[in-house]
Amino acid sequence: MTTEGTDTNNTHADPATIRRVLRETGDTWAVVGLSGNRSRAAYGVAEVLQRFGKRVVPVHPKAESVHGEQGYASLADIPFPVDVVDVFVNSELAGAVADEAVAVGAKAVWFQLGVVDPDAFARTSAAGLDMVMDRCPAIEIPRLDRAV
């Protein structure tokens, strides 16, 4: 495992948890911060997730459709179950998104590279959800097949 991002001791990016979230948790991913802006990281990451068989649900105040999927203004607006909430907002806002993920019954929360909130990690984990922080699924998912 590399030390990209700021969590160099991997306590918030356990390899077994990463593998479980990517392979076993489910295929419906709400991507918070995903809009039609092609220059944003969320746009490209969502494309990669789709290539690996994930259904990507855009969550953004504009509720834009992206990558052929209907967008929603909030997690609470999504009318079907979500397995993983992938968070592309800054660290100051990420904790509230994690709390909303717990409230809507998600199974896991994934904070993107540079998104760090140890208190949110503790709350989310205490609620029984898997959580990965300061990692990118578009980097991690191709590694699964190469892992020894």
Side-chain angles (χ1 to χ4, degrees):
M1 187 59 58
T2 67
T3 57
E4 63 215 313
T6 58
D7 184 27
T8 57
N9 64 10
N10 290 328
T11 58
H12 298 121
D14 172 63
T17 303
I18 289 170
R19 198 168 24 262
R20 184 170 51 253
V21 171
L22 291 172
R23 284 209 169 132
E24 302 168 17
T25 300
D27 291 331
T28 302
W29 285 55
V31 181
V32 178
L34 175 58
S35 71
N37 184 342
R38 294 172 182 262
S39 67
R40 302 294 305 228
Y43 191 91
V45 169
E47 252 179 349
V48 171
L49 289 170
Q50 282 187 322
R51 278 199 309 266
F52 281 88
K54 307 298 182 189
R55 178 182 184 190
V56 171
V57 181
V59 179
H60 189 277
K62 293 180 182 179
E64 298 176 84
S65 292
V66 183
H67 298 308
E69 290 286 346
Q70 169 63 47
Y72 298 90
S74 72
L75 291 173
D77 292 338
I78 300 172
F80 47 83
V82 169
D83 300 310
V84 181
V85 175
D86 189 5
V87 181
F88 277 92
V89 301
N90 67 45
S91 296
E92 292 77 29
L93 302 174
V97 175
D99 294 340
E100 191 176 355
V102 171
V104 301
K107 299 173 188 170
V109 175
W110 191 298
F111 281 8
Q112 282 294 323
L113 289 172
V115 181
V116 177
D117 183 337
D119 292 336
F121 186 94
R123 288 192 311 273
T124 303
S125 298
L129 280 69
D130 277 330
M131 185 160 180
V132 176
M133 187 164 65
D134 197 23
R135 291 291 182 273
C136 179
I139 293 170
E140 301 296 337
I141 202 166
R143 291 179 178 170
L144 291 177
D145 293 329
R146 295 188 312 231
V148 177

